Amino acid sequence: ENLDFAQQINEKKNIFYAKYFPTDASLSAFENYDGVQQLSLDSCQVTDNGLKALRKSKLLALTLDECNITGVDNIAQLGYLQSLDLRGTYIGNSALPALANLKMLRLLNLRSCKKLTDEGLQALAQSTSLRDVKISEDQFSKKAMNALRQKMPQCTIEGYDHHCVTDEIILAAAPKGKAPALENLYDA
Protein backbone atom coordinates (compact mmCIF):
# COMPACT_ATOMS: atom_id res chain seq x y z
CA GLU A 1 0.00 0.00 0.00
CA ASN A 2 2.83 2.45 0.71
CA LEU A 3 4.76 1.29 -2.38
CA ASP A 4 4.14 4.52 -4.29
CA PHE A 5 5.46 6.66 -1.41
CA ALA A 6 8.37 4.27 -0.77
CA GLN A 7 9.47 4.41 -4.41
CA GLN A 8 9.29 8.20 -4.45
CA ILE A 9 11.25 8.37 -1.20
CA ASN A 10 13.95 6.12 -2.71
CA GLU A 11 14.14 8.61 -5.56
CA LYS A 12 14.67 11.39 -2.96
CA LYS A 13 11.52 13.25 -4.01
CA ASN A 14 10.37 16.06 -1.75
CA ILE A 15 6.89 16.75 -3.18
CA PHE A 16 4.20 14.08 -2.86
CA TYR A 17 0.60 13.95 -4.07
CA ALA A 18 -1.92 11.16 -3.71
CA LYS A 19 -5.67 10.85 -4.07
CA TYR A 20 -8.01 8.19 -2.66
CA PHE A 21 -5.53 5.43 -1.75
CA PRO A 22 -3.56 6.86 1.21
CA THR A 23 -4.31 5.49 4.67
CA ASP A 24 -2.55 5.86 8.00
CA ALA A 25 -0.57 2.71 7.20
CA SER A 26 0.65 4.06 3.86
CA LEU A 27 2.12 7.12 5.58
CA SER A 28 4.49 4.90 7.58
CA ALA A 29 6.86 5.16 4.59
CA PHE A 30 7.67 8.70 5.80
CA GLU A 31 8.73 7.71 9.34
CA ASN A 32 12.47 7.98 8.73
CA TYR A 33 12.43 10.38 5.82
CA ASP A 34 12.99 14.05 6.59
CA GLY A 35 13.16 15.11 2.92
CA VAL A 36 9.43 15.59 2.40
CA GLN A 37 8.64 19.29 2.00
CA GLN A 38 5.17 19.16 0.51
CA LEU A 39 2.48 16.51 0.94
CA SER A 40 -0.94 16.77 -0.68
CA LEU A 41 -3.53 14.13 0.13
CA ASP A 42 -6.99 14.31 -1.37
CA SER A 43 -10.19 12.42 -0.49
CA CYS A 44 -8.55 9.70 1.56
CA GLN A 45 -8.90 7.92 4.91
CA VAL A 46 -5.81 9.41 6.56
CA THR A 47 -6.34 10.55 10.16
CA ASP A 48 -4.26 12.73 12.46
CA ASN A 49 -2.87 9.53 13.99
CA GLY A 50 -1.36 8.53 10.64
CA LEU A 51 0.39 11.88 10.41
CA LYS A 52 2.58 10.84 13.35
CA ALA A 53 4.90 9.37 10.69
CA LEU A 54 5.71 12.93 9.56
CA ARG A 55 6.87 14.25 12.94
CA LYS A 56 10.58 14.00 12.03
CA SER A 57 10.07 15.76 8.73
CA LYS A 58 10.67 19.37 7.86
CA LEU A 59 7.33 19.54 6.08
CA LEU A 60 6.54 23.03 4.78
CA ALA A 61 3.15 22.48 3.13
CA LEU A 62 0.44 19.97 4.00
CA THR A 63 -2.86 19.56 2.18
CA LEU A 64 -5.47 17.20 3.61
CA ASP A 65 -8.38 18.05 1.33
CA GLU A 66 -11.52 16.06 2.23
CA CYS A 67 -9.52 13.65 4.42
CA ASN A 68 -10.74 12.02 7.64
CA ILE A 69 -9.01 14.48 9.98
CA THR A 70 -10.83 15.11 13.28
CA GLY A 71 -7.90 16.24 15.45
CA VAL A 72 -4.57 17.98 15.01
CA ASP A 73 -2.28 16.61 17.75
CA ASN A 74 0.30 15.37 15.25
CA ILE A 75 -0.15 18.25 12.83
CA ALA A 76 0.59 20.60 15.73
CA GLN A 77 4.02 18.94 16.06
CA LEU A 78 5.07 19.95 12.54
CA GLY A 79 7.14 22.96 13.54
CA TYR A 80 8.29 23.93 10.04
CA LEU A 81 4.76 23.98 8.58
CA GLN A 82 4.03 27.19 6.65
CA SER A 83 0.92 26.19 4.71
CA LEU A 84 -1.89 23.95 5.95
CA ASP A 85 -5.00 23.10 3.94
CA LEU A 86 -7.66 21.35 6.01
CA ARG A 87 -10.49 22.02 3.58
CA GLY A 88 -13.45 19.71 4.12
CA THR A 89 -12.04 17.95 7.18
CA TYR A 90 -13.87 17.28 10.43
CA ILE A 91 -11.80 19.37 12.82
CA GLY A 92 -13.65 21.23 15.55
CA ASN A 93 -13.05 24.32 17.64
CA SER A 94 -10.64 22.52 19.97
CA ALA A 95 -8.14 22.13 17.10
CA LEU A 96 -7.66 25.84 16.44
CA PRO A 97 -5.56 26.85 19.49
CA ALA A 98 -2.97 24.21 18.57
CA LEU A 99 -2.86 25.45 14.98
CA ALA A 100 -2.57 29.05 16.13
CA ASN A 101 0.56 28.04 18.07
CA LEU A 102 2.40 26.82 14.97
CA LYS A 103 5.10 29.52 14.82
CA MET A 104 5.80 29.34 11.09
CA LEU A 105 2.23 28.79 9.81
CA ARG A 106 1.36 31.57 7.39
CA LEU A 107 -1.54 30.12 5.37
CA LEU A 108 -4.47 28.15 6.82
CA ASN A 109 -7.39 26.90 4.72
CA LEU A 110 -10.48 26.06 6.78
CA ARG A 111 -13.06 26.13 3.98
CA SER A 112 -15.88 23.62 4.43
CA CYS A 113 -14.80 22.66 7.96
CA LYS A 114 -18.40 22.59 9.12
CA LYS A 115 -17.71 21.81 12.79
CA LEU A 116 -16.03 25.17 13.35
CA THR A 117 -18.03 27.94 14.99
CA ASP A 118 -17.66 31.65 15.75
CA GLU A 119 -16.28 30.84 19.19
CA GLY A 120 -13.59 28.51 17.90
CA LEU A 121 -12.49 30.86 15.15
CA GLN A 122 -11.44 33.45 17.73
CA ALA A 123 -8.63 31.13 18.88
CA LEU A 124 -6.76 31.99 15.68
CA ALA A 125 -6.15 35.49 17.07
CA GLN A 126 -3.36 33.96 19.21
CA SER A 127 -1.28 33.40 16.09
CA THR A 128 1.57 35.78 15.40
CA SER A 129 2.48 34.15 12.08
CA LEU A 130 -0.79 33.70 10.15
CA ARG A 131 -1.09 36.00 7.13
CA ASP A 132 -3.83 34.30 5.15
CA VAL A 133 -6.87 32.39 6.44
CA LYS A 134 -9.39 30.92 4.02
CA ILE A 135 -12.91 30.24 5.25
CA SER A 136 -16.26 29.37 3.75
CA GLU A 137 -18.44 32.34 3.04
CA ASP A 138 -21.42 32.64 5.39
CA GLN A 139 -20.17 30.00 7.84
CA PHE A 140 -19.36 32.58 10.50
CA SER A 141 -21.25 35.63 11.73
CA LYS A 142 -20.25 39.13 10.68
CA LYS A 143 -19.71 39.96 14.34
CA ALA A 144 -17.21 37.11 14.76
CA MET A 145 -15.44 37.99 11.51
CA ASN A 146 -15.16 41.66 12.46
CA ALA A 147 -13.74 40.71 15.87
CA LEU A 148 -11.18 38.40 14.29
CA ARG A 149 -10.22 40.98 11.68
CA GLN A 150 -9.62 43.57 14.40
CA LYS A 151 -7.45 41.16 16.40
CA MET A 152 -5.50 40.09 13.31
CA PRO A 153 -4.95 43.16 11.12
CA GLN A 154 -1.90 41.51 9.54
CA CYS A 155 -4.06 38.68 8.19
CA THR A 156 -6.14 38.47 5.03
CA ILE A 157 -9.31 36.50 5.63
CA GLU A 158 -10.44 35.10 2.29
CA GLY A 159 -14.07 34.12 1.90
CA TYR A 160 -15.14 36.92 4.17
CA ASP A 161 -16.30 39.95 2.26
CA HIS A 162 -15.03 42.51 4.76
CA HIS A 163 -15.33 46.21 4.24
CA CYS A 164 -12.48 48.49 3.37
CA VAL A 165 -10.89 51.32 5.35
CA THR A 166 -12.75 53.89 3.25
CA ASP A 167 -16.07 52.37 4.35
CA GLU A 168 -14.95 52.54 7.99
CA ILE A 169 -14.13 56.25 7.64
CA ILE A 170 -17.50 56.99 6.03
CA LEU A 171 -19.37 55.07 8.73
CA ALA A 172 -17.44 56.78 11.52
CA ALA A 173 -18.01 60.26 10.09
CA ALA A 174 -21.64 59.90 9.00
CA PRO A 175 -24.43 60.67 11.44
CA LYS A 176 -26.46 57.61 12.41
CA GLY A 177 -28.80 56.70 9.56
CA LYS A 178 -26.99 58.77 6.90
CA ALA A 179 -25.06 55.85 5.40
CA PRO A 180 -27.76 53.15 5.44
CA ALA A 181 -26.27 51.03 2.67
CA LEU A 182 -22.98 50.70 4.52
CA GLU A 183 -24.66 50.31 7.92
CA ASN A 184 -26.77 47.41 6.62
CA LEU A 185 -23.88 45.81 4.81
CA TYR A 186 -21.56 45.87 7.79
CA ASP A 187 -24.05 45.52 10.62
CA ALA A 188 -22.54 43.39 13.38
Side-chain angles (χ1 to χ4, degrees), residues 81-100:
L81 203 57
Q82 296 175 17
S83 174
L84 177 59
D85 185 342
L86 293 171
R87 185 179 16 184
T89 62
Y90 304 99
I91 64 164
N93 291 342
S94 62
L96 297 183
L99 298 179

Side-chain angles (χ1 to χ4, degrees), residues 11-170:
E11 296 170 3
K12 303 287 187 214
K13 302 269 183 180
N14 59 9
I15 298 174
F16 298 83
Y17 171 79
K19 188 170 184 172
Y20 305 125
F21 88 85
T23 63
D24 289 351
S26 65
L27 293 183
S28 66
F30 291 102
E31 275 182 333
N32 295 309
Y33 184 61
D34 66 359
V36 59
Q37 292 181 349
Q38 181 178 334
L39 176 62
S40 296
L41 303 176
D42 189 0
S43 304
C44 63
Q45 294 304 308
V46 168
T47 67
D48 183 61
N49 193 47
L51 298 173
K52 187 183 291 186
L54 298 168
R55 279 186 164 187
K56 294 179 184 173
S57 76
K58 294 182 174 106
L59 192 63
L60 301 175
L62 178 61
T63 298
L64 298 165
D65 188 9
E66 301 287 333
C67 291
N68 199 24
I69 303 297
T70 58
V72 296
D73 291 343
N74 289 301
I75 294 171
Q77 303 301 313
L78 300 172
Y80 292 92
L81 203 57
Q82 296 175 17
S83 174
L84 177 59
D85 185 342
L86 293 171
R87 185 179 16 184
T89 62
Y90 304 99
I91 64 164
N93 291 342
S94 62
L96 297 183
L99 298 179
N101 285 327
L102 284 167
K103 300 295 183 217
M104 296 181 75
L105 189 63
R106 297 182 61 75
L107 181 135
L108 178 61
N109 188 341
L110 298 172
R111 288 190 173 133
S112 300
C113 293
K114 302 207 184 302
K115 291 188 173 191
L116 298 177
T117 67
D118 286 356
E119 181 182 324
L121 197 62
Q122 298 310 308
L124 294 179
Q126 299 171 34
S127 174
T128 57
S129 61
L130 275 173
R131 297 294 180 262
D132 189 7
V133 175
K134 298 178 183 195
I135 58 168
S136 294
E137 197 171 325
D138 299 327
Q139 182 172 348
F140 304 100
S141 72
K142 289 178 186 176
K143 183 177 180 180
M145 294 312 309
N146 284 334
L148 185 62
R149 193 171 67 85
Q150 287 178 346
K151 293 175 185 173
M152 299 181 74
Q154 80 286 359
C155 191
T156 300
I157 302 172
E158 293 181 35
Y160 169 61
D161 206 8
H162 63 277
H163 56 283
C164 67
V165 173
T166 306
D167 293 347
E168 288 181 12
I169 293 168
I170 292 169

